């Protein structure tokens, strides 16, 4: 897959799976809503600050993030780290009308945070083979990128 094809796969994905190691050293996977991307290397996920996965990520921030298209049997697994963001600029970017049902104190709720997944490598899979992504390739592709809602961008084209 080309880097542009990988980006298109990520953009058309509404969800991803995040893999991490919990405090008991067990491997965990969570399906997460993930549509905000800054190229291939940075992805945003809103979540509860008090959640068990956030507590685990505070202690060990190594993660993987897997995007896939079940209809075309394509996937990309990105490897890197998670940073927990509580800055208002991140919260505003992901806040949607109706989110107050999850965060009763609104955008400034202490239990609302954003995970920023920062990829430093990856691997893509498709019918015609697999390929590795290096940090240099990701960084080069991401030059001048800004955070965008990839799912909305993809659906505007459709």
């Amino acid at each position: 897959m080309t880097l542009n094809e990988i980006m298109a796969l990520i953009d058309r994905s509404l969800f991803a799976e995040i893999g991490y190691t919990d405090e008991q050293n067990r491997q965990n996977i969570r399906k997460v809503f993930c549509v905000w991307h800054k190229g291939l290397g940075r992805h945003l996920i809103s979540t509860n600050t008090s959640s068990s996965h956030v507590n685990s990520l505070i202690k060990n921030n190594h993660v993987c993030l897997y995007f896939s298209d079940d209809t075309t049997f394509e996937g990309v697994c990105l490897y890197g780290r998670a940073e927990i963001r509580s800055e208002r600029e991140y919260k505003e970017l992901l806040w949607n009308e109706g989110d107050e049902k999850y965060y009763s104190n609104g955008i400034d709720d202490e239990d609302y945070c954003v995970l920023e997944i920062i990829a430093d490598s990856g691997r893509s899979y498709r019918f015609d083979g697999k390929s590795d992504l290096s940090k240099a390739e990701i960084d080069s592709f991401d030059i001048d990128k800004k955070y965008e809602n990839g799912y909305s961008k993809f659906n505007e084209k459709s």
Side-chain angles (χ1 to χ4, degrees):
M1 293 174 75
T2 68
L3 297 179
N4 285 324
E5 289 171 328
I6 294 169
M7 191 72 241
L9 168 63
I10 291 170
D11 280 343
R12 70 179 183 264
S13 299
L14 188 56
F15 294 95
E17 285 81 30
I18 185 171
Y20 65 96
T21 304
D22 71 14
E23 296 171 61
Q24 287 78 40
N25 208 31
R26 298 175 297 197
Q27 303 306 300
N28 281 260
I29 298 173
R30 297 280 188 278
K31 186 169 221 133
V32 293
F33 182 71
C34 184
V35 297
W36 284 92
H37 317 291
K38 186 177 181 181
L40 297 170
R42 292 181 180 254
H43 310 274
L44 300 177
I45 301 162
S46 63
T47 193
N48 295 84
T49 309
S50 62
S51 66
S52 62
H53 60 278
V54 168
N55 288 320
S56 294
L57 290 168
I58 289 170
K59 294 181 171 109
N60 178 354
N61 69 349
H62 295 279
V63 297
C64 65
L65 194 61
Y66 186 75
F67 296 93
S68 64
D69 185 331
D70 296 342
T71 61
T72 60
F73 201 65
E74 296 173 300
V76 62
C77 189
L78 301 170
Y79 308 100
R81 68 186 192 284
E83 299 291 333
I84 298 150
R85 303 291 186 195
S86 56
E87 299 93 336
R88 189 171 179 91
E89 67 183 278
Y90 288 96
K91 291 177 161 188
E92 285 177 354
L93 198 56
L94 273 66
W95 188 262
N96 293 296
E97 186 177 325
D99 282 352
E100 51 280 339
K101 69 182 170 187
Y102 304 106
Y103 310 105
S104 58
N105 291 326
I107 199 165
D108 294 315
D109 196 309
E110 289 183 16
D111 197 34
Y112 174 48
C113 70
V114 174
L115 297 179
E116 182 177 28
I117 307 303
I118 304 166
D120 56 26
S121 64
R123 185 164 231 204
S124 65
Y125 307 86
R126 190 169 66 179
F127 65 90
D128 57 352
K130 55 189 175 242
S131 63
D132 291 316
L133 294 166
S134 69
K135 180 172 178 24
E137 288 174 300
I138 292 169
D139 290 347
S140 176
F141 184 85
D142 290 356
I143 289 177
D144 298 327
K145 298 280 193 305
K146 60 184 181 200
Y147 273 111
E148 294 182 283
N149 184 321
Y151 190 75
S152 293
K153 180 178 73 173
F154 175 78
N155 283 314
E156 288 172 3
K157 294 177 187 176
S158 300

